[in-house]
Amino acid sequence: MKYKNPKYRKRRNTFPLEISCGNCKTPMVIYAKGGKGNLIKLQVPRIIASEVDLEKHEGSLLCSNCKEELARKGTYDDNVTYWIIRGKVNSKRVNNYSC
Ligand SMILES: [Zn+2]
């Protein structure tokens, strides 16, 4: 990942998830996921690392390789949040991710 998020704060009961483009499989984001539910959004303080700086990024998150639209920028609890477009990303758990 090109960008390590300085605003990331480690939280308990989360695990790193690699979010990749569902179309071409390019990894885009490492995200600290909590709970068992489906991944529906990417909150910036939970992003460990990503291919682009998602806080400053404007507009939708596009795959860096094939330009597929993966998530739309919005807010949640006053944090910049990317709402995942259903069916556009793959995610898999990664063990011991280190930046
Ligand atoms: Zn892609």
Side-chain angles (χ1 to χ4, degrees):
M1 297 284 145
K2 289 180 190 138
Y3 176 78
K4 287 157 198 160
N5 184 8
K7 293 206 165 160
Y8 169 63
R9 293 291 172 264
K10 192 167 170 55
R11 292 173 61 151
R12 293 200 300 170
N13 302 319
T14 61
F15 54 89
L17 207 57
E18 182 188 85
I19 315 297
S20 57
C21 171
N23 185 38
C24 72
K25 319 298 183 213
T26 300
M28 289 297 295
V29 177
I30 305 292
Y31 188 71
K33 174 80 171 67
K36 289 181 185 163
N38 286 333
L39 185 73
I40 56 165
K41 61 187 184 301
L42 301 172
Q43 295 175 252
V44 166
R46 295 246 204 134
I47 291 171
I48 302 168
S50 58
E51 283 297 303
V52 293
D53 180 348
L54 289 177
E55 191 174 49
K56 296 193 181 78
H57 187 76
E58 290 302 327
S60 297
L61 171 63
L62 304 180
C63 174
S64 61
N65 182 49
C66 74
K67 310 304 177 196
E68 185 83 357
E69 187 181 28
L70 305 178
R72 294 202 177 98
K73 193 172 186 176
T75 55
Y76 179 80
D77 280 351
D78 294 330
N79 289 317
V80 177
T81 296
Y82 285 82
W83 297 89
I84 287 171
I85 300 167
R86 228 171 124 176
K88 293 289 188 176
V89 303
N90 288 339
S91 61
K92 70 173 185 200
R93 207 166 164 151
V94 288
N95 292 315
N96 302 317
Y97 181 81
S98 56
C99 292

